[in-house]
Amino acid sequence: MDRRERRHEMKPTRAIAAAFAASLLVLDGCGYELCYDHPHTGSLRVVFDWRNAAGASPQSMSLYLFPADGEGEPLRYEFTDIAGGVISVPAGTYHAACLNSDTELVLYRNTGSRETFECYTRSTAMLENYGAYGVRPETVPRAEGTETERVSLSPDMLWSGNTEGVAVAKDSGGTLMLYPEETVCHYTVTVRNAENLRYAAALAGSLTGMAGGVLPAIEKVSDERVTVPFDAVKSQDRASLHARFLTFGHHTQQEEECHHTLVIYAVLSDNVK
């Protein structure tokens, strides 16, 4: 092969190299421009201060950051350390809400904004778990005038906290302090001098006119009114019965029309209620 032939074969190689270099320039310029499309973030140190809930012991916490301008979905962060931690957040201003995420019965709905974010529990049947005693839930009597109320499970323990106007600046740090406290209410029922409890194979009850949920980001109960069933036990002397359960609290809408009715169910050993 002579020199002219070698020069002729090198020309395509030089062309490919030139094209490759040009493509690098294009890619480099494109990458430089795209950096403007990435949201700038800031570091946020989240602190859960439990001074308002002494003895609280959740296993995990969730933090929700709602854009203050109402644009976009809320951001959710999970913490296995209930003291808090450091997170990276897109720059902006947010309203914040936190709650423990280790619950089994509490569900969420309408989570798109802080004004509608609701914690609630699923529907159940009255005496749903008493089938072993021959109880058919559809036959269990309801308190008069409350037949249309949804029967809702008692929630498990819930703590929450919130704050407004959390500003996160790009490429800088900040601290978010939240003070969780109990978001559910404790109810205790005691019936004394009850006759014939020795014949009861199982005891239960229900309380009507309770709140169907809570909106933790704005510290309000929901508009729904529900009946909450609960289990009860008899005392050792079989002369009284006791029950303890949680609710989302008293239903505050149209309070002058809201009445609570307590019903106690005794399932006798011969399956007579």
Side-chain angles (χ1 to χ4, degrees), residues 85-103:
V86 178
I87 57 176
S88 180
V89 180
T93 303
Y94 302 90
H95 302 313
C98 69
L99 64 160
N100 58 303
S101 55
D102 60 341
T103 56

Side-chain angles (χ1 to χ4, degrees), residues 122-132 135-137 140 153 229 231:
R122 71 168 177 84
S123 299
T124 185
M126 200 70 73
L127 303 191
E128 180 182 56
N129 299 321
Y130 289 73
V135 175
R136 291 185 298 161
V140 177
L153 287 175
D231 297 324

Side-chain angles (χ1 to χ4, degrees), residues 82-148:
I82 65 169
V86 178
I87 57 176
S88 180
V89 180
T93 303
Y94 302 90
H95 302 313
C98 69
L99 64 160
N100 58 303
S101 55
D102 60 341
T103 56
E104 296 182 1
L105 301 176
V106 175
L107 306 174
Y108 310 133
R109 61 187 173 192
N110 304 323
T111 59
S113 73
R114 72 182 190 117
E115 290 81 8
T116 61
F117 187 106
E118 181 184 357
C119 299
Y120 73 106
T121 57
R122 71 168 177 84
S123 299
T124 185
M126 200 70 73
L127 303 191
E128 180 182 56
N129 299 321
Y130 289 73
Y133 300 100
V135 175
R136 291 185 298 161
E138 66 274 13
T139 66
V140 177
R142 299 281 299 275
E144 184 179 356
T146 66
E147 293 82 2
T148 60

Side-chain angles (χ1 to χ4, degrees), residues 14 32 34 41 69 72 80 139 160 168 172 177 182 197 220 222 252 269 272:
R14 291 174 180 173
Y32 180 80
L34 284 177
T41 62
D69 59 7
T80 55
T139 66
S160 67
V168 179
S172 64
M177 298 287 298
E182 289 190 10
L197 280 184
K220 291 179 60 178
S222 67
T252 57
S269 54
V272 178

Side-chain angles (χ1 to χ4, degrees), residues 6-239:
R6 287 197 297 269
R7 286 199 301 267
H8 180 74
E9 290 177 351
M10 289 174 63
K11 288 181 180 179
T13 304
R14 291 174 180 173
I16 292 172
F20 180 69
S23 67
L24 286 178
L25 289 174
V26 173
L27 289 173
D28 182 65
C30 181
Y32 180 80
E33 293 297 330
L34 284 177
C35 80
Y36 290 106
D37 295 330
H38 295 297
H40 292 284
T41 62
S43 176
L44 188 64
R45 178 171 173 261
V46 180
V47 178
F48 300 118
D49 187 321
W50 294 91
R51 67 180 66 182
N52 296 332
S57 57
Q59 299 299 309
S60 58
M61 294 291 292
S62 287
L63 170 68
Y64 291 84
L65 296 178
F66 301 90
D69 59 7
E71 298 294 328
E73 293 294 315
L75 307 175
R76 179 175 181 257
Y77 300 87
E78 191 72 13
F79 298 83
T80 55
D81 184 349
I82 65 169
V86 178
I87 57 176
S88 180
V89 180
T93 303
Y94 302 90
H95 302 313
C98 69
L99 64 160
N100 58 303
S101 55
D102 60 341
T103 56
E104 296 182 1
L105 301 176
V106 175
L107 306 174
Y108 310 133
R109 61 187 173 192
N110 304 323
T111 59
S113 73
R114 72 182 190 117
E115 290 81 8
T116 61
F117 187 106
E118 181 184 357
C119 299
Y120 73 106
T121 57
R122 71 168 177 84
S123 299
T124 185
M126 200 70 73
L127 303 191
E128 180 182 56
N129 299 321
Y130 289 73
Y133 300 100
V135 175
R136 291 185 298 161
E138 66 274 13
T139 66
V140 177
R142 299 281 299 275
E144 184 179 356
T146 66
E147 293 82 2
T148 60
E149 287 188 0
R150 184 171 72 92
V151 181
S152 175
L153 287 175
S154 171
D156 36 14
M157 196 61 209
L158 187 66
W159 295 273
S160 67
N162 63 82
T163 190
E164 299 180 355
V166 181
V168 179
K170 64 179 182 180
D171 305 322
S172 64
T175 299
L176 168 60
M177 298 287 298
L178 290 162
Y179 303 89
E181 54 188 56
E182 289 190 10
T183 311
V184 290
C185 298
H186 298 254
Y187 279 71
T188 301
V189 174
T190 300
V191 178
R192 297 184 176 89
N193 301 319
E195 298 181 359
N196 299 325
L197 280 184
R198 64 182 180 274
Y199 300 116
L203 296 167
S206 66
L207 185 60
T208 70
M210 306 309 295
V214 64
L215 285 64
I218 57 174
E219 300 181 9
K220 291 179 60 178
V221 296
S222 67
D223 293 338
E224 184 185 23
R225 187 181 301 175
V226 300
T227 295
V228 178
F230 55 87
D231 297 324
V233 297
K234 52 189 170 184
S235 60
Q236 291 184 345
D237 62 5
R238 302 179 181 180

